[in-house]
Amino acid sequence: MARRLSWQDLQASGSAIATRLSLQDLQCLVRRKPACSAADRAESSAAGAPAGGGKGRHLARALSVPDLIAIGVGSTIGAGIYVLVGTVAREHAGPALTLSFLIAGIAAALSALCYAELSCRFPSAGSAYHYSYICIGESVAWLIGWALILEYTIGGSSVARGISPNLALFFGGHEKLPFFLTQIHVKWLETPLDPCAAILVLIVTALLCLGIKESSFVEGIITIANVIVMLFVICAGGYLAFQNGWSGYNDEQGYFPKGVAGVLSGSATLFFAYIGFDAVASTAEEVKNPQRDLPWGMCLTLSLCCFLYMMVSIVIVGLVPYYALDPNTPISSAFAKYGMQWAVYIISTGAVFALIASLIGAILPQPRIVMAMARDGLLPPLFSAVDPTTQVPTLSTILSGICAAILALFMDVSELAGMVSVGTLLAFTMVAISVLIVRYAPPNEIATKVALPSSSESLTSDSGYSEPDEENSEDLLGNVQDIPTANEANKIRRQKAIACIILIFLGVVTIVSSVSFSFFPLIHTWIRVSMWLAVGAIIYVFYGRKYSSLTGVAYQRISPA
């Protein structure tokens, strides 16, 4: 006889189904993209085949080490060096400004090494978003990608807004600029419209649509011009300093007027002068030999930038005492004090070149991140389209450029600059955590649809641990001792590694948040970032979670290598 279902049975089955559904919803937040899918895509792109099985979805592998250096140096050396020298020297480091640049360069190099390692392991577009998706999980990757979109948009707009004041110097003031470049004051807007900034963003967007090789070539020319200006500052300033006995260092307060604390606080500010090397990582899928060229590109980029920064700081502080430096135009005003007014135009030209190069470097990574998110199904698939002729994500590039141009036209993005710092902090933190995960707790589950045997071996063997092959051994007296099996030992090791990584992450978040809220005026910045991330979370819940390429993909656990 058939057994009747009671109300208690229906309740039990319903609760079981609800529990299963809730667990599935939670599991989708931490599902990770297999590394082999990115490797397959990169290999198919190198071979000229369409990536991901779709027509026209592969990027051109056209970049070499010189191209990466041009992109990295151009993205890193912005106009900040022409301003930060005076501000940090006056308020923090004094004559020890060079040491602050060195310490900041070492800290940036550590982050760059994390990017270099992950970009070699997983050479695909997406940068920090891509690495977080493989090592941490889908929800974290989405938030990182969403934050990077905001970071690059605001960063590009702020750089564009800074070009028009420097251009005005060559025309004799804002009022003498051509009518289509003059700022427009609107009664109901507190910030004047800046058509010059918007036009420059659109020009750079059009350049990026031509192709990665063409973009890197123009970036290289502009970067070379910028470096030549900085070499002029070093050589001409050094000559003047030698003639005047390096008068700037003859100060009664000594080399450390504000102590070691001043040097360290100055290095914290100068760290942002090195941000930009992550643009190199975003082009990983377009590099001819990523395993070799990406580390060289990042290391040489930071080495060259650090050398130029330190040499400029030595010369400028040697020309003028640190307390007499102009906080807005420290380099040009230092030359002007020695009667070299003509040098102001050369330095202003360098600032314009630096800003244009930074603008290219700010807009370049964003469409590739959007393309990577669309490839993974987290954004509509039309954003993953790659032009078959230029082999760049044209639609994503155009939309990114239009958004940045609108923001540069209407808004004073200096008020939003703190959001760039928060986005950078989130990205760098997740990249560092990803390195720890891939070394000490690599994923032990792979998607059965796309996984290859070689990928599982690479992820587990890269951790650097070897497991015992026998289940028991003998001590010195010949007594047999039971030891954990390889799987048990590996499980214990993974649990300890994961616990340590979680503690490190929580500690970093706690310390950084405490310092930010205690010493920096970021309350409004964190509120804005939280609102942006909340919007992203809503989009993910109602779209990305459902249409993710990992939806419905089965996972199987792999045995340790």
Side-chain angles (χ1 to χ4, degrees):
M1 294 179 63
R3 177 177 176 269
R4 286 187 177 182
L5 291 176
S6 63
W7 176 249
Q8 289 79 6
D9 294 334
L10 291 175
Q11 281 186 324
S13 60
S15 61
I17 294 175
T19 303
R20 186 178 303 173
L21 290 175
S22 61
L23 288 177
Q24 290 176 352
D25 292 338
L26 292 177
Q27 287 174 354
C28 75
L29 300 178
V30 295
R31 57 190 175 192
R32 294 186 280 196
K33 179 170 62 175
C36 58
S37 62
D40 294 342
R41 184 185 301 128
E43 290 174 4
S44 62
S45 300
K55 183 178 180 180
R57 295 187 63 185
H58 61 286
L59 302 177
R61 284 191 174 273
L63 299 180
S64 58
V65 174
D67 299 316
L68 296 178
I69 295 175
I71 294 173
V73 174
S75 304
T76 304
I77 299 183
I81 179 61
Y82 297 95
V83 178
L84 288 178
V85 168
T87 303
V88 176
R90 287 170 58 94
E91 299 180 2
H92 301 285
L97 176 65
T98 307
L99 288 181
S100 294
F101 268 116
L102 178 60
I103 295 172
I106 294 174
L110 296 177
S111 297
L113 290 175
C114 294
Y115 271 90
E117 177 173 344
L118 293 176
S119 61
C120 290
R121 290 178 183 265
F122 319 118
S124 185
S127 186
Y129 156 79
H130 177 62
Y131 312 143
S132 301
Y133 205 166
I134 293 175
C135 300
I136 302 177
E138 184 175 277
S139 58
V140 173
W142 165 264
L143 291 179
I144 294 299
W146 191 246
L148 287 177
I149 291 174
L150 178 68
E151 173 191 341
Y152 289 123
T153 303
I154 295 177
S157 303
S158 62
V159 168
R161 272 268 178 174
I163 294 179
S164 54
N166 288 276
L167 283 178
L169 295 175
F170 297 96
F171 292 89
H174 281 284
E175 64 279 357
K176 295 184 179 180
L177 281 170
F179 71 94
F180 58 89
L181 299 179
T182 306
Q183 290 187 348
I184 303 173
H185 294 270
V186 182
K187 293 182 179 179
W188 46 275
L189 284 178
E190 297 181 359
T191 304
L193 303 181
D194 194 342
C196 178
I199 292 172
L200 286 170
V201 171
L202 294 178
I203 292 175
V204 169
T205 302
L207 170 65
L208 295 175
C209 290
L210 296 178
I212 187 63
K213 193 64 178 178
E214 292 77 7
S215 305
S216 62
F217 177 75
V218 175
E219 178 86 324
I221 294 176
I222 298 174
T223 300
I224 290 173
N226 184 25
V227 171
I228 290 175
V229 172
M230 297 187 73
L231 291 177
F232 164 79
V233 171
I234 295 170
C235 296
Y239 176 75
L240 288 175
F242 272 115
Q243 281 190 328
N244 294 273
W246 298 92
S247 58
Y249 289 103
N250 299 328
D251 186 74
E252 296 180 356
Q253 296 182 354
Y255 193 70
F256 300 96
K258 297 188 178 181
V260 178
V263 176
L264 295 178
S265 61
S267 64
T269 303
L270 293 175
F271 177 82
F272 294 97
Y274 291 93
I275 292 177
F277 61 83
D278 54 334
V280 177
S282 67
T283 63
E285 196 172 322
E286 296 161 283
V287 180
K288 294 179 181 178
N289 189 344
Q291 281 75 16
R292 182 196 65 188
D293 294 347
L294 283 171
W296 277 109
M298 292 187 189
C299 292
L300 292 177
T301 291
L302 282 179
S303 299
L304 179 58
C305 293
C306 187
F307 170 77
L308 292 174
Y309 287 162
M310 293 176 66
M311 294 303 296
V312 168
S313 63
I314 290 173
V315 169
I316 298 304
V317 177
L319 283 175
V320 181
Y322 73 93
Y323 49 82
L325 287 172
D326 190 323
N328 298 318
T329 57
I331 299 178
S332 57
S333 62
F335 280 88
K337 289 184 179 181
Y338 286 87
M340 298 176 64
Q341 296 290 343
W342 54 271
V344 175
Y345 293 96
I346 298 178
I347 296 169
S348 298
T349 302
V352 171
F353 283 142
L355 283 167
I356 295 175
S358 295
L359 180 59
I360 297 175
I363 299 179
L364 174 67
Q366 182 177 349
R368 283 149 180 82
I369 293 175
V370 173
M371 180 195 68
M373 298 175 73
R375 276 178 174 176
D376 297 327
L378 303 184
L379 289 176
L382 59 93
F383 294 112
S384 65
V386 175
D387 188 273
T389 304
T390 60
Q391 293 183 291
V392 296
T394 305
L395 179 60
S396 298
T397 302
I398 292 174
L399 292 178
S400 301
I402 291 176
C403 292
I406 293 174
L407 194 62
L409 176 64
F410 288 99
M411 297 189 65
D412 181 10
V413 291
S414 61
E415 298 180 359
L416 307 178
M419 300 176 72
V420 178
S421 302
V422 174
T424 302
L425 175 64
L426 291 175
F428 282 15
T429 301
M430 290 302 106
V431 169
I433 295 297
S434 297
V435 170
L436 294 177
I437 291 175
V438 83
R439 283 189 180 186
Y440 303 109
N444 61 349
E445 290 183 344
I446 57 176
T448 56
K449 286 186 179 179
V450 294
L452 294 177
S454 58
S455 64
S456 61
E457 294 175 2
S458 62
L459 281 176
T460 53
S461 61
D462 283 342
S463 60
Y465 286 88
S466 60
E467 308 295 346
D469 296 329
E470 300 178 358
E471 297 186 2
N472 52 59
S473 62
E474 296 182 356
D475 59 13
L476 296 177
L477 300 178
N479 298 322
V480 177
Q481 295 180 331
D482 293 332
I483 63 173
T485 63
N487 289 337
E488 292 174 349
N490 184 61
K491 183 178 180 181
I492 294 173
R493 179 189 62 77
R494 286 179 58 85
Q495 291 175 347
K496 293 181 179 179
I498 292 173
C500 292
I501 292 172
I502 292 175
L503 289 176
I504 292 173
F505 173 74
L506 294 177
V508 169
V509 170
T510 302
I511 294 174
V512 172
S513 302
S514 301
V515 172
S516 300
F517 285 112
S518 300
F519 297 99
F520 298 102
L522 295 176
I523 302 301
H524 296 294
T525 297
W526 282 105
I527 293 175
R528 291 167 179 159
V529 172
S530 300
M531 292 174 62
W532 175 258
L533 294 180
V535 173
I538 293 173
I539 296 175
Y540 171 75
V541 169
F542 289 98
Y543 182 88
R545 182 178 62 88
K546 296 181 180 179
Y547 296 99
S548 170
S549 59
L550 297 183
T551 301
V553 174
Y555 286 83
Q556 67 179 34
R557 188 173 298 274
I558 59 176
S559 59

